[in-house]
Amino acid sequence: MPTDSPSPGMVAENYPTDSTAKAILKDKQHDDRSEHLPYDLPYMPEDIQQMAERELGETEERKQAALKKFRNLIAAEKKLYVRTDDLCLLAYLRGKKYDVDRAFKSMKNTYKLRSKKRFYDADDNSIVHEVFRQNWIGFLPYRAKNGSVILVIKVGMWDPEKVDRDLLMWVITHCMIHSIECEATQVAGYSAIVDVRGVTHKHLKLLTIENILLIIHSTQHCFPGRYKAVHVIGMPKFFAYAWNMCYPFILSYKMQKRIFIHGDNPKNLHKYMSPSILPQEFLGELGPFDNSTWHANILKNNEWALEQRLYGYQKS
């Protein structure tokens, strides 16, 4: 499990030692906000295109061949009614590095899970937007330096007696289905900041094996996102001890390397993300966390979100 302990530093030749040079280096230890891409990105920047080629082996020829095979698999699957546009299928293909069979399995898992949850059939999602207005979950306006979007979840502000597990899953699903419609996000992926300061036993009692396995299944085997990092802020020591004993048995090795457990000092996060793009709660420069602009944008597409409930395995 990654920790906060600093990596061994490299000593460069001719390292400046005078106070002026040191001051300049100190000022440049974090990126300027202007160096970060915005959350809303309607195009694919060249460096993310190169990432797709480098990390996913994406070429136009491979893309078209994979899309054709994917559509054939969907057509042969009985009672499965899903989107077959390029944007939707590419999300699954990129999530599985163009392994079409694994991408199709992920899609099937998505809709099999949804078919078990009746709330996905609801024709009114106003309760989800009421949760968003509580301002404890949402995406930051800027991306991490690696291009990933940054989801913030302030767990201590979540009231599990009013927002139960199933509603929480619905809320998170709304966050993700909107964000994955961006091609740059399909490639560059997701980072998350999970702030557990202020959690109580009413939060911890929901950490049952069933709920933990549901979260792992939905993220690793259903939703096609590429998860780059999860930063947990303020984890209680007693829970951290239990977590360190359990996580090797429930997470893939790749995910194990991408979860970072931090202490109570949010400044530890600055080793991984520039304070210029972080909200005040994490000693950043953006002011208090505010999801209202992000929420207003997804509200504009609410009819589209409701239409997504029509896809999946058709009932007999």
Side-chain angles (χ1 to χ4, degrees), residues 245-276:
M245 294 179 61
C246 296
Y247 80 85
F249 304 101
I250 60 177
L251 291 177
S252 67
Y253 180 67
K254 181 172 71 173
M255 280 305 300
Q256 291 176 31
K257 295 188 297 181
R258 297 181 181 184
I259 296 180
F260 300 82
I261 306 298
H262 302 290
D264 289 330
N265 185 358
K267 194 171 184 179
N268 293 325
L269 189 61
H270 298 181
K271 301 172 186 176
Y272 307 91
M273 296 179 182
S274 171
S276 66

Side-chain angles (χ1 to χ4, degrees), residues 101 103 115 133 186 243 260 262 277:
D101 293 324
S115 68
R133 291 186 184 96
Q186 293 177 3
W243 172 254
F260 300 82
H262 302 290
I277 63 166

Side-chain angles (χ1 to χ4, degrees), residues 169 232 240:
M169 292 293 292
V232 183

Side-chain angles (χ1 to χ4, degrees), residues 135-268:
N135 196 40
W136 53 264
I137 186 170
F139 284 95
L140 294 184
Y142 296 94
R143 294 168 180 258
K145 197 64 183 294
N146 62 6
S148 61
V149 291
I150 305 171
L151 177 67
V152 171
I153 305 177
K154 299 176 67 176
V155 182
M157 292 180 61
W158 160 47
D159 186 347
E161 294 178 351
K162 295 180 180 179
V163 180
D164 63 13
R165 183 202 69 179
D166 285 352
L167 177 52
L168 178 64
M169 292 293 292
W170 197 10
V171 167
I172 294 175
T173 297
H174 264 66
C175 288
M176 305 308 271
I177 64 172
H178 286 276
S179 60
I180 201 68
E181 290 294 299
C182 171
E183 285 202 80
T185 302
Q186 293 177 3
V187 174
Y190 294 82
S191 294
I193 302 173
V194 183
D195 186 351
V196 298
R197 291 173 294 180
V199 297
T200 65
H201 93 277
K202 69 181 179 181
H203 296 96
L204 298 177
K205 70 181 182 181
L206 291 180
L207 289 175
T208 64
I209 292 298
E210 178 188 1
N211 289 346
I212 292 172
L213 292 178
L214 174 62
I215 293 170
I216 292 172
H217 176 67
S218 62
T219 53
Q220 294 192 26
H221 305 297
C222 298
F223 186 74
R226 304 186 68 212
Y227 306 108
K228 296 303 183 73
V230 177
H231 297 275
V232 183
I233 306 294
M235 180 179 283
K237 290 183 179 179
F238 71 89
F239 184 73
Y241 178 77
W243 172 254
N244 286 332
M245 294 179 61
C246 296
Y247 80 85
F249 304 101
I250 60 177
L251 291 177
S252 67
Y253 180 67
K254 181 172 71 173
M255 280 305 300
Q256 291 176 31
K257 295 188 297 181
R258 297 181 181 184
I259 296 180
F260 300 82
I261 306 298
H262 302 290
D264 289 330
N265 185 358
K267 194 171 184 179
N268 293 325

